[in-house]
Amino acid sequence: MTQDVEMKDHQTPPHSVSSAVPSTLHHLKEIASLIETGSYTKEVRRIVRAVRLTFGLRRKLTAPVLSAFLDFALQPGSEALARLSSFLPKEDEHEMEVDTATSAVQTSGKHLLPELEIYCYLLVLLYLIDQKKYNEAKACSSASVNRLKSLNRRTLDVLASRLYFYYSYSYELTGDFAEIRGNLLALHRIATLHHDELGQETLLNLLLRNYLHYNLYDQAEKLRSKAPRFEAHSNQQFCRYLFYLGKIRTIQLEYTDAKESLLQAARKAPVAARGFRIQCNKWAILVRLLLGEIPERTMFMQKGMEKALRPYFELTNAVRIGDLELFRTVAEKFASTFSTDKTHNLIVRLRHNVIRTGLRNISISYSRISLADVAEKLRLNSKTPVADAESIVAKAIRDGAIDATLDHANGWMVSKETGDIYSTNEPQIAFHSRIAFCLNMHNEAVRALRFPPNTHKEKESAEKRRERQQQEQELAKHIAEEDDDDF
Amino acid sequence: MDPQLTEVSQLFERFKAAFIRNDYDSCANLLSQLKVLLTKFRSLPPLFENTPNAINELLLAREIYEHAVVLSVKIEDQDAFERDFFQLKPYYTDAGSRLPPSPQEYPILGLNLLRLLVQNRIAEFHTELELLSATALENPCIKHAVELEQSFMEGAYNRVLSARQTAPHETYVYFMDLLAKTVRDEIAGCSEKAYDYLSIDDARQMLLFSFDQELLEYIKEEHPEWEVKNGFVFLQKAKESAPCKEIPSLQLINQTLSYARELERIV
């Protein structure tokens, strides 16, 4: 499960390390000013940009850079500065002093922005997690979340959602995931009351992840079905949501819906998020197998996934051939992989599909076969193979898996001739569902074309507006005159 | 010792005595008194307060609810079973780390799985199954239920029925009997599709009746469309005609019109 964290932006540009210290600090300062303007003008997109830029710098964060930046951004002697500095290892970096002294003078005059303070928390937290100091990260994130609870500003939402994520992540890494569940629920409630949709989205995913970590599918589904839903704000969060949804539905045997969610999640996920896509694909493969479909070979040959999907490939092979013996050996061979993936129980469910496929193959190849032979071919390990085979075949017939009849007196199965499919309405229905899919796709695409609100109005200058209003008035006059003419 | 705790444990002793005597009426009576008394303990779920007697109280409450579950099986009350089981569950999941494991835990969890199977709540069955650890799955009580579900899904009904003899716990028999009824309905449903006709003898054996009379009554009640004639049961009177001769014009018109409308929107 931890792989899915790798969804973070990984496109760190390879800069030269020699000039890293001054340039990183410089970049950080630029980002800080970006946040400041964003906060004053109440423009969330500037803050989004600041966060994005930060993740580019992530690999270059070091303790001296951070402490220099903290001195720059936070008021000297403030509580936040003292608390955050305590998380950083002390190092003497005299060359930085000149720089910090001048900048401290600049900032001391103005009032500290909460956005900047929270941003500092985020930076320190990132650094601590990258340095694998998880216990400090836990303390730092808890402090930041406590601070966040007392703030209510829309410009903070973006930063807050990132902080929530790392808060949960740091607890997950130390294995105290269950501890923060109550806190996350409280935060989700706060976010809902503040109409902070990004926060809600993030927190809902964190909660689902938390529940699923402990296999609490029941609770997860109850929360998911009752939490407010709205259009997704962040693609990454939406991917995660789809993945969790797919997992829940798989467990609850709603395979068709599960397949849709999982495939969508795998497709929407960014290319860099390989671990996440592997997870999605694993589950999607299993769900498709459970549905009686055989995934295409290309699914297993995706770049960088061949090795991880190997066990699932062999499993698929066993199901495709319908060989119970082979299925059993594969399941045993990769038992440890399956249990770490938490898919063991799903594989147990697959046994029944293997029998079905085997039966279908038999039914296609033979027009009449004795039940004893069926039992032998399926390699049912039981004391009464013929009676078992008979009832298994009977159930397969009822479920529509094979088209055949049984003759109890003679003890054989008679396959029906496969009829001409084009004499039925089947092709028509298939054709219709495809057309409906394409049309729906088009409509969705049109609806997805989003324009930022008010962009056309911004361009309109005062002069133009006057012109437009004048035109409108003239038009109204014309219409009024025309009306008069009529009478 | 805390007076409240003493009171509850004394009452519980009386309950257990009645339980052994199979005096279920007084059991139910005492149980409702016990449940009321349990609400006064602040260490129990959902409060989980850390009182000095917490461990003793939790242990006692757990045992009471375990008995309540078993009692509900004995008086064959499935709703009560569900209620009591959900009250018991937090003691295994949330308080499990603080208490010594209960010998009753796996039999009761297995019993619950069986109940979900009997009530055909397969989704919940699998949700519960996910909560169990690998060691739990190895336990005979749990394994029994899991294997039953598998045989049930495959259609190996003989195995489901023979599992009754290997029931790991006396309380399982009640649900196994219920399951036998479900299985009979399933077999009837499958046979209907799979066979054209069956001799009365075969049908009786297949549907697990001892006498022809029972079979005929069952057919009359559950499947009046089956025909009994000349010592045979005809399961499918008329075969549905596969190829479709008629053109479903109304449907086609509707579909075409909707395409036209959608295309117009695109152009």
Side-chain angles (χ1 to χ4, degrees), chain B residues 7-144:
Chain B
E7 188 191 348
V8 174
S9 30
Q10 274 169 357
L11 204 60
F12 186 47
E13 286 306 318
R14 279 173 56 203
F15 171 86
K16 276 201 272 194
F19 193 77
I20 290 164
R21 286 200 312 274
N22 290 347
D23 180 1
Y24 298 138
D25 286 337
S26 47
C27 271
N29 218 335
L30 287 166
L31 185 64
S32 42
Q33 286 178 41
L34 278 170
K35 281 184 182 170
V36 172
L37 285 172
L38 282 182
T39 55
K40 289 178 190 159
F41 292 145
R42 301 187 66 78
S43 62
L44 303 185
L47 290 171
F48 277 128
E49 269 176 34
N50 217 348
T51 52
N53 279 329
I55 298 292
N56 286 333
E57 288 170 6
L58 282 168
L59 276 176
L60 187 64
R62 185 174 75 180
E63 212 184 336
I64 290 173
Y65 283 120
E66 278 170 353
H67 277 81
V69 169
V70 179
L71 178 71
S72 66
V73 177
K74 294 213 164 154
I75 56 175
E76 306 189 350
D77 184 347
Q78 292 187 32
D79 292 336
F81 181 95
E82 193 171 348
R83 265 196 316 274
D84 290 329
F85 178 76
F86 279 127
Q87 278 183 305
L88 177 62
K89 213 173 151 195
Y91 294 91
Y92 294 140
T93 52
D94 298 339
S97 52
R98 284 199 283 162
L99 303 178
S102 155
Q104 290 293 314
E105 178 169 352
Y106 291 138
I108 286 182
L109 289 179
L111 209 55
N112 183 48
L113 288 177
L114 206 55
R115 172 184 69 90
L116 292 172
L117 197 59
V118 168
Q119 297 175 342
N120 209 9
R121 288 153 70 172
I122 305 292
E124 281 169 70
F125 179 91
H126 283 289
T127 315
E128 287 289 323
L129 204 60
E130 285 297 316
L131 287 173
L132 299 171
S133 62
T135 43
L137 289 175
E138 288 301 311
N139 187 282
C141 297
I142 309 279
K143 217 172 171 179
H144 183 253

Side-chain angles (χ1 to χ4, degrees), chain A residues 215-243:
Chain A
N215 286 343
L216 296 165
Y217 287 92
D218 200 19
Q219 280 93 325
E221 171 58 18
K222 275 180 186 146
L223 174 73
R224 190 203 63 77
S225 56
K226 293 190 174 58
R229 285 295 303 154
F230 33 78
E231 228 174 300
H233 285 261
S234 142
N235 181 43
Q236 292 167 0
Q237 295 301 340
F238 189 53
C239 285
R240 288 205 180 95
Y241 177 78
L242 284 172
F243 176 56

Side-chain angles (χ1 to χ4, degrees), chain A residues 215 348 351 390 406 428 432, chain B residues 130 150 154 194-195 255 259:
Chain A
N215 286 343
V348 172
R351 187 187 134 84
E390 189 167 355
L406 282 169
Q428 158 72 16
H432 171 68
Chain B
E130 285 297 316
Q150 269 186 43
E154 270 167 39
Y195 301 94
Q255 283 176 2
Y259 299 155

Side-chain angles (χ1 to χ4, degrees), chain B residues 209-227:
Chain B
F209 288 110
S210 343
F211 302 103
D212 290 356
Q213 200 53 43
E214 285 176 328
L215 172 71
L216 295 178
E217 262 172 42
Y218 177 77
I219 291 177
K220 218 157 108 194
E221 271 177 33
E222 303 281 335
H223 297 276
E225 72 278 8
W226 295 3
E227 203 179 349

Side-chain angles (χ1 to χ4, degrees), chain A residues 29 41 219 261 360 391 467 482:
Chain A
K29 282 181 184 166
T41 54
Q219 280 93 325
S261 316
R360 206 175 299 145
S391 52
E467 211 171 282
E482 271 172 24

